[in-house]
Short mmCIF file of all heavy atoms in Angstrom, two decimals:
data_model
loop_
_atom_site.label_atom_id
_atom_site.label_comp_id
_atom_site.label_asym_id
_atom_site.label_seq_id
_atom_site.Cartn_x
_atom_site.Cartn_y
_atom_site.Cartn_z
N PRO A 1 0.82 -1.23 0.00
CA PRO A 1 0.00 0.00 0.00
C PRO A 1 0.85 1.27 0.00
O PRO A 1 0.46 2.28 -0.58
CB PRO A 1 -0.81 -0.13 1.30
CG PRO A 1 -0.86 -1.61 1.57
CD PRO A 1 0.47 -2.13 1.11
N TRP A 2 2.00 1.23 0.64
CA TRP A 2 2.90 2.38 0.65
C TRP A 2 3.47 2.61 -0.74
O TRP A 2 3.66 3.77 -1.15
CB TRP A 2 4.03 2.16 1.66
CG TRP A 2 3.58 2.21 3.09
CD1 TRP A 2 2.87 1.26 3.76
CD2 TRP A 2 3.80 3.27 4.01
NE1 TRP A 2 2.64 1.66 5.06
CE2 TRP A 2 3.20 2.89 5.24
CE3 TRP A 2 4.45 4.50 3.93
CZ2 TRP A 2 3.23 3.70 6.37
CZ3 TRP A 2 4.49 5.31 5.06
CH2 TRP A 2 3.88 4.91 6.25
N ILE A 3 3.74 1.53 -1.44
CA ILE A 3 4.27 1.67 -2.81
C ILE A 3 3.24 2.35 -3.70
O ILE A 3 3.56 3.25 -4.48
CB ILE A 3 4.65 0.29 -3.37
CG1 ILE A 3 5.80 -0.31 -2.55
CG2 ILE A 3 5.05 0.40 -4.84
CD1 ILE A 3 6.17 -1.73 -2.96
N LEU A 4 1.98 1.92 -3.60
CA LEU A 4 0.92 2.53 -4.41
C LEU A 4 0.72 3.99 -4.04
O LEU A 4 0.53 4.84 -4.92
CB LEU A 4 -0.38 1.75 -4.24
CG LEU A 4 -0.48 0.43 -5.00
CD1 LEU A 4 -1.74 -0.32 -4.63
CD2 LEU A 4 -0.46 0.70 -6.50
N ALA A 5 0.74 4.29 -2.75
CA ALA A 5 0.59 5.68 -2.32
C ALA A 5 1.75 6.53 -2.85
O ALA A 5 1.56 7.68 -3.26
CB ALA A 5 0.53 5.75 -0.79
N THR A 6 2.94 5.96 -2.83
CA THR A 6 4.11 6.67 -3.35
C THR A 6 3.99 6.92 -4.84
O THR A 6 4.39 7.98 -5.34
CB THR A 6 5.39 5.85 -3.05
OG1 THR A 6 5.53 5.67 -1.65
CG2 THR A 6 6.62 6.56 -3.60
N MET A 7 3.45 5.95 -5.55
CA MET A 7 3.27 6.12 -7.00
C MET A 7 2.38 7.31 -7.30
O MET A 7 2.69 8.12 -8.19
CB MET A 7 2.70 4.84 -7.60
CG MET A 7 3.67 3.67 -7.62
SD MET A 7 2.89 2.11 -8.12
CE MET A 7 2.41 2.47 -9.79
N ARG A 8 1.28 7.44 -6.57
CA ARG A 8 0.37 8.57 -6.80
C ARG A 8 1.04 9.89 -6.43
O ARG A 8 0.86 10.91 -7.10
CB ARG A 8 -0.91 8.37 -6.00
CG ARG A 8 -1.71 7.15 -6.44
CD ARG A 8 -3.05 7.06 -5.74
NE ARG A 8 -3.94 8.14 -6.15
CZ ARG A 8 -5.18 8.28 -5.70
NH1 ARG A 8 -5.67 7.39 -4.84
NH2 ARG A 8 -5.92 9.27 -6.10
N LEU A 9 1.83 9.87 -5.36
CA LEU A 9 2.54 11.08 -4.94
C LEU A 9 3.60 11.47 -5.97
O LEU A 9 3.81 12.66 -6.24
CB LEU A 9 3.19 10.84 -3.57
CG LEU A 9 3.97 12.00 -2.96
CD1 LEU A 9 3.04 13.17 -2.66
CD2 LEU A 9 4.69 11.55 -1.69
N ASN A 10 4.24 10.48 -6.55
CA ASN A 10 5.35 10.74 -7.46
C ASN A 10 4.91 11.24 -8.83
O ASN A 10 5.75 11.69 -9.62
CB ASN A 10 6.20 9.47 -7.63
CG ASN A 10 7.35 9.42 -6.64
OD1 ASN A 10 7.67 10.42 -6.00
ND2 ASN A 10 7.98 8.27 -6.52
N ILE A 11 3.63 11.17 -9.12
CA ILE A 11 3.15 11.73 -10.39
C ILE A 11 3.52 13.21 -10.47
O ILE A 11 4.07 13.69 -11.46
CB ILE A 11 1.63 11.55 -10.53
CG1 ILE A 11 1.27 10.09 -10.74
CG2 ILE A 11 1.09 12.37 -11.70
CD1 ILE A 11 -0.21 9.83 -10.73
N GLY A 12 3.21 13.93 -9.39
CA GLY A 12 3.51 15.36 -9.35
C GLY A 12 5.00 15.63 -9.40
O GLY A 12 5.45 16.54 -10.11
N PHE A 13 5.78 14.85 -8.66
CA PHE A 13 7.23 15.06 -8.64
C PHE A 13 7.86 14.78 -10.01
O PHE A 13 8.79 15.47 -10.43
CB PHE A 13 7.88 14.19 -7.57
CG PHE A 13 7.68 14.70 -6.18
CD1 PHE A 13 6.80 14.06 -5.31
CD2 PHE A 13 8.33 15.82 -5.72
CE1 PHE A 13 6.59 14.53 -4.02
CE2 PHE A 13 8.14 16.30 -4.45
CZ PHE A 13 7.27 15.66 -3.58
N ALA A 14 7.36 13.76 -10.70
CA ALA A 14 7.89 13.45 -12.03
C ALA A 14 7.60 14.59 -13.00
O ALA A 14 8.47 14.96 -13.82
CB ALA A 14 7.27 12.15 -12.54
N MET A 15 6.42 15.15 -12.91
CA MET A 15 6.08 16.26 -13.80
C MET A 15 6.88 17.51 -13.45
O MET A 15 7.31 18.26 -14.34
CB MET A 15 4.58 16.53 -13.73
CG MET A 15 3.75 15.37 -14.26
SD MET A 15 1.99 15.73 -14.35
CE MET A 15 1.96 17.00 -15.59
N ILE A 16 7.12 17.73 -12.16
CA ILE A 16 7.97 18.85 -11.74
C ILE A 16 9.36 18.69 -12.33
O ILE A 16 9.95 19.64 -12.88
CB ILE A 16 8.05 18.93 -10.20
CG1 ILE A 16 6.71 19.39 -9.63
CG2 ILE A 16 9.16 19.89 -9.77
CD1 ILE A 16 6.64 19.31 -8.12
N GLY A 17 9.91 17.47 -12.22
CA GLY A 17 11.25 17.23 -12.76
C GLY A 17 11.32 17.47 -14.26
O GLY A 17 12.27 18.10 -14.75
N ALA A 18 10.32 16.99 -14.99
CA ALA A 18 10.32 17.18 -16.44
C ALA A 18 10.22 18.65 -16.81
O ALA A 18 10.95 19.15 -17.69
CB ALA A 18 9.16 16.39 -17.06
N VAL A 19 9.33 19.38 -16.14
CA VAL A 19 9.14 20.79 -16.45
C VAL A 19 10.37 21.62 -16.07
O VAL A 19 10.79 22.50 -16.82
CB VAL A 19 7.87 21.33 -15.74
CG1 VAL A 19 7.79 22.85 -15.87
CG2 VAL A 19 6.63 20.68 -16.32
N VAL A 20 10.96 21.33 -14.91
CA VAL A 20 12.18 22.04 -14.50
C VAL A 20 13.29 21.79 -15.51
O VAL A 20 14.02 22.71 -15.88
CB VAL A 20 12.62 21.59 -13.09
CG1 VAL A 20 14.03 22.07 -12.79
CG2 VAL A 20 11.66 22.13 -12.05
N GLY A 21 13.41 20.54 -15.97
CA GLY A 21 14.41 20.24 -16.98
C GLY A 21 14.17 21.01 -18.27
O GLY A 21 15.12 21.47 -18.91
N GLU A 22 12.92 21.18 -18.63
CA GLU A 22 12.59 21.94 -19.84
C GLU A 22 12.84 23.43 -19.64
O GLU A 22 13.17 24.13 -20.60
CB GLU A 22 11.14 21.69 -20.23
CG GLU A 22 10.88 20.26 -20.72
CD GLU A 22 9.42 19.92 -20.83
OE1 GLU A 22 8.57 20.73 -20.41
OE2 GLU A 22 9.11 18.81 -21.33
N TYR A 23 12.69 23.91 -18.41
CA TYR A 23 13.01 25.30 -18.12
C TYR A 23 14.50 25.56 -18.34
O TYR A 23 14.90 26.61 -18.83
CB TYR A 23 12.67 25.63 -16.66
CG TYR A 23 11.28 26.18 -16.45
CD1 TYR A 23 10.19 25.69 -17.16
CD2 TYR A 23 11.04 27.19 -15.53
CE1 TYR A 23 8.92 26.18 -16.96
CE2 TYR A 23 9.77 27.69 -15.31
CZ TYR A 23 8.71 27.19 -16.04
OH TYR A 23 7.45 27.68 -15.83
N ILE A 24 15.33 24.58 -17.95
CA ILE A 24 16.78 24.76 -18.01
C ILE A 24 17.26 24.77 -19.45
O ILE A 24 17.99 25.67 -19.88
CB ILE A 24 17.48 23.63 -17.23
CG1 ILE A 24 17.11 23.73 -15.74
CG2 ILE A 24 19.00 23.72 -17.40
CD1 ILE A 24 17.54 22.53 -14.94
N SER A 25 16.86 23.76 -20.20
CA SER A 25 17.31 23.67 -21.58
C SER A 25 16.39 22.73 -22.35
O SER A 25 16.32 21.54 -22.04
CB SER A 25 18.75 23.16 -21.65
OG SER A 25 19.16 23.01 -22.99
N ALA A 26 15.70 23.27 -23.33
CA ALA A 26 14.80 22.44 -24.14
C ALA A 26 14.36 23.22 -25.37
O ALA A 26 14.45 24.45 -25.42
CB ALA A 26 13.58 22.00 -23.33
N LYS A 27 13.91 22.48 -26.35
CA LYS A 27 13.34 23.09 -27.55
C LYS A 27 11.89 22.68 -27.74
O LYS A 27 11.24 23.13 -28.68
CB LYS A 27 14.16 22.68 -28.78
CG LYS A 27 15.58 23.23 -28.77
CD LYS A 27 16.33 22.81 -30.03
CE LYS A 27 17.74 23.37 -30.03
NZ LYS A 27 18.52 22.98 -31.24
N VAL A 28 11.41 21.81 -26.86
CA VAL A 28 10.03 21.35 -26.94
C VAL A 28 9.61 20.91 -25.54
O VAL A 28 10.44 20.54 -24.71
CB VAL A 28 9.90 20.19 -27.95
CG1 VAL A 28 10.64 18.96 -27.46
CG2 VAL A 28 8.45 19.86 -28.25
N GLY A 29 8.31 20.94 -25.28
CA GLY A 29 7.78 20.54 -23.98
C GLY A 29 6.95 21.65 -23.37
O GLY A 29 7.10 22.83 -23.71
N LEU A 30 6.06 21.29 -22.45
CA LEU A 30 5.18 22.29 -21.84
C LEU A 30 5.97 23.27 -20.97
O LEU A 30 5.60 24.43 -20.87
CB LEU A 30 4.11 21.59 -21.00
CG LEU A 30 3.04 20.84 -21.81
CD1 LEU A 30 2.10 20.07 -20.87
CD2 LEU A 30 2.24 21.81 -22.67
#
């Protein structure tokens, strides 16, 4: 159950990481 709860929590963190990476250097992405 902790793993599943972590998965739901990590959705936001994964998107934060992707967006921050695109802020730093990218040519495409939200």
Side-chain angles (χ1 to χ4, degrees):
W2 290 74
I3 296 175
L4 282 173
T6 300
M7 290 172 64
R8 296 186 67 179
L9 181 65
N10 267 347
I11 290 174
F13 284 107
M15 295 186 66
I16 289 172
V19 171
V20 167
E22 291 168 353
Y23 268 39
I24 296 169
S25 177
K27 294 181 179 180
V28 67
L30 289 175

